[in-house]
PDB file of all heavy atoms in Angstrom:
ATOM      1  N   PRO C 387     276.297 -37.897 -64.932  1.00 98.00           N
ATOM      2  CA  PRO C 387     276.184 -38.212 -63.505  1.00 98.00           C
ATOM      3  C   PRO C 387     276.755 -39.562 -63.098  1.00 98.00           C
ATOM      4  O   PRO C 387     276.983 -39.783 -61.905  1.00 98.00           O
ATOM      5  CB  PRO C 387     274.681 -38.156 -63.250  1.00 98.00           C
ATOM      6  CG  PRO C 387     274.074 -38.481 -64.571  1.00 98.00           C
ATOM      7  CD  PRO C 387     274.981 -37.878 -65.597  1.00 98.00           C
ATOM      8  N   ASP C 388     276.984 -40.458 -64.052  1.00 98.00           N
ATOM      9  CA  ASP C 388     277.510 -41.777 -63.705  1.00 98.00           C
ATOM     10  C   ASP C 388     278.998 -41.919 -64.000  1.00 98.00           C
ATOM     11  O   ASP C 388     279.606 -42.926 -63.638  1.00 98.00           O
ATOM     12  CB  ASP C 388     276.733 -42.866 -64.454  1.00 98.00           C
ATOM     13  CG  ASP C 388     275.259 -42.875 -64.091  1.00 98.00           C
ATOM     14  OD1 ASP C 388     274.940 -42.701 -62.899  1.00 98.00           O
ATOM     15  OD2 ASP C 388     274.420 -43.023 -64.999  1.00 98.00           O
ATOM     16  N   ALA C 389     279.564 -40.930 -64.664  1.00 98.00           N
ATOM     17  CA  ALA C 389     280.994 -40.974 -64.956  1.00 98.00           C
ATOM     18  C   ALA C 389     281.792 -40.644 -63.690  1.00 98.00           C
ATOM     19  O   ALA C 389     281.349 -39.873 -62.844  1.00 98.00           O
ATOM     20  CB  ALA C 389     281.340 -39.983 -66.061  1.00 98.00           C
ATOM     21  N   THR C 390     282.957 -41.235 -63.582  1.00 98.00           N
ATOM     22  CA  THR C 390     283.795 -41.026 -62.405  1.00 98.00           C
ATOM     23  C   THR C 390     285.157 -40.461 -62.808  1.00 98.00           C
ATOM     24  O   THR C 390     285.576 -40.570 -63.968  1.00 98.00           O
ATOM     25  CB  THR C 390     284.001 -42.328 -61.623  1.00 98.00           C
ATOM     26  OG1 THR C 390     284.676 -43.279 -62.462  1.00 98.00           O
ATOM     27  CG2 THR C 390     282.664 -42.918 -61.174  1.00 98.00           C
ATOM     28  N   PHE C 391     285.830 -39.869 -61.846  1.00 98.00           N
ATOM     29  CA  PHE C 391     287.196 -39.392 -62.068  1.00 98.00           C
ATOM     30  C   PHE C 391     287.912 -39.350 -60.729  1.00 98.00           C
ATOM     31  O   PHE C 391     287.280 -39.264 -59.671  1.00 98.00           O
ATOM     32  CB  PHE C 391     287.214 -38.015 -62.737  1.00 98.00           C
ATOM     33  CG  PHE C 391     286.683 -36.888 -61.882  1.00 98.00           C
ATOM     34  CD1 PHE C 391     287.549 -35.996 -61.255  1.00 98.00           C
ATOM     35  CD2 PHE C 391     285.314 -36.710 -61.711  1.00 98.00           C
ATOM     36  CE1 PHE C 391     287.066 -34.964 -60.475  1.00 98.00           C
ATOM     37  CE2 PHE C 391     284.825 -35.671 -60.932  1.00 98.00           C
ATOM     38  CZ  PHE C 391     285.700 -34.792 -60.312  1.00 98.00           C
ATOM     39  N   VAL C 392     289.216 -39.433 -60.771  1.00 98.00           N
ATOM     40  CA  VAL C 392     290.047 -39.291 -59.583  1.00 98.00           C
ATOM     41  C   VAL C 392     290.608 -37.875 -59.570  1.00 98.00           C
ATOM     42  O   VAL C 392     291.141 -37.388 -60.574  1.00 98.00           O
ATOM     43  CB  VAL C 392     291.184 -40.329 -59.575  1.00 98.00           C
ATOM     44  CG1 VAL C 392     292.121 -40.091 -58.395  1.00 98.00           C
ATOM     45  CG2 VAL C 392     290.606 -41.740 -59.526  1.00 98.00           C
ATOM     46  N   VAL C 393     290.452 -37.208 -58.445  1.00 98.00           N
ATOM     47  CA  VAL C 393     290.832 -35.795 -58.366  1.00 98.00           C
ATOM     48  C   VAL C 393     292.344 -35.650 -58.462  1.00 98.00           C
ATOM     49  O   VAL C 393     293.100 -36.168 -57.635  1.00 98.00           O
ATOM     50  CB  VAL C 393     290.323 -35.156 -57.063  1.00 98.00           C
ATOM     51  CG1 VAL C 393     290.814 -33.709 -56.953  1.00 98.00           C
ATOM     52  CG2 VAL C 393     288.802 -35.218 -57.005  1.00 98.00           C
ATOM     53  N   ASP C 394     292.765 -34.941 -59.483  1.00 97.00           N
ATOM     54  CA  ASP C 394     294.161 -34.582 -59.695  1.00 97.00           C
ATOM     55  C   ASP C 394     294.276 -33.081 -59.437  1.00 97.00           C
ATOM     56  O   ASP C 394     293.775 -32.274 -60.220  1.00 97.00           O
ATOM     57  CB  ASP C 394     294.575 -34.907 -61.128  1.00 97.00           C
ATOM     58  CG  ASP C 394     295.960 -34.392 -61.479  1.00 97.00           C
ATOM     59  OD1 ASP C 394     296.684 -33.924 -60.568  1.00 97.00           O
ATOM     60  OD2 ASP C 394     296.319 -34.444 -62.675  1.00 97.00           O
ATOM     61  N   PRO C 395     294.906 -32.662 -58.346  1.00 96.00           N
ATOM     62  CA  PRO C 395     294.988 -31.223 -58.062  1.00 96.00           C
ATOM     63  C   PRO C 395     295.577 -30.417 -59.205  1.00 96.00           C
ATOM     64  O   PRO C 395     295.192 -29.268 -59.423  1.00 96.00           O
ATOM     65  CB  PRO C 395     295.862 -31.158 -56.815  1.00 96.00           C
ATOM     66  CG  PRO C 395     295.687 -32.486 -56.156  1.00 96.00           C
ATOM     67  CD  PRO C 395     295.531 -33.465 -57.281  1.00 96.00           C
ATOM     68  N   GLY C 396     296.475 -31.017 -59.955  1.00 94.00           N
ATOM     69  CA  GLY C 396     297.090 -30.308 -61.070  1.00 94.00           C
ATOM     70  C   GLY C 396     296.135 -30.004 -62.198  1.00 94.00           C
ATOM     71  O   GLY C 396     296.435 -29.159 -63.049  1.00 94.00           O
ATOM     72  N   ALA C 397     294.981 -30.671 -62.229  1.00 95.00           N
ATOM     73  CA  ALA C 397     293.984 -30.428 -63.269  1.00 95.00           C
ATOM     74  C   ALA C 397     292.955 -29.384 -62.864  1.00 95.00           C
ATOM     75  O   ALA C 397     292.052 -29.073 -63.646  1.00 95.00           O
ATOM     76  CB  ALA C 397     293.274 -31.743 -63.618  1.00 95.00           C
ATOM     77  N   LEU C 398     293.084 -28.840 -61.651  1.00 97.00           N
ATOM     78  CA  LEU C 398     292.123 -27.852 -61.180  1.00 97.00           C
ATOM     79  C   LEU C 398     292.517 -26.454 -61.660  1.00 97.00           C
ATOM     80  O   LEU C 398     293.686 -26.170 -61.882  1.00 97.00           O
ATOM     81  CB  LEU C 398     292.052 -27.876 -59.650  1.00 97.00           C
ATOM     82  CG  LEU C 398     291.625 -29.209 -59.028  1.00 97.00           C
ATOM     83  CD1 LEU C 398     291.659 -29.105 -57.504  1.00 97.00           C
ATOM     84  CD2 LEU C 398     290.242 -29.624 -59.514  1.00 97.00           C
TER      85      LEU C 398
END
Side-chain angles (χ1 to χ4, degrees):
D388 299 319
T390 62
F391 67 103
V392 175
V393 176
D394 172 9
L398 300 178

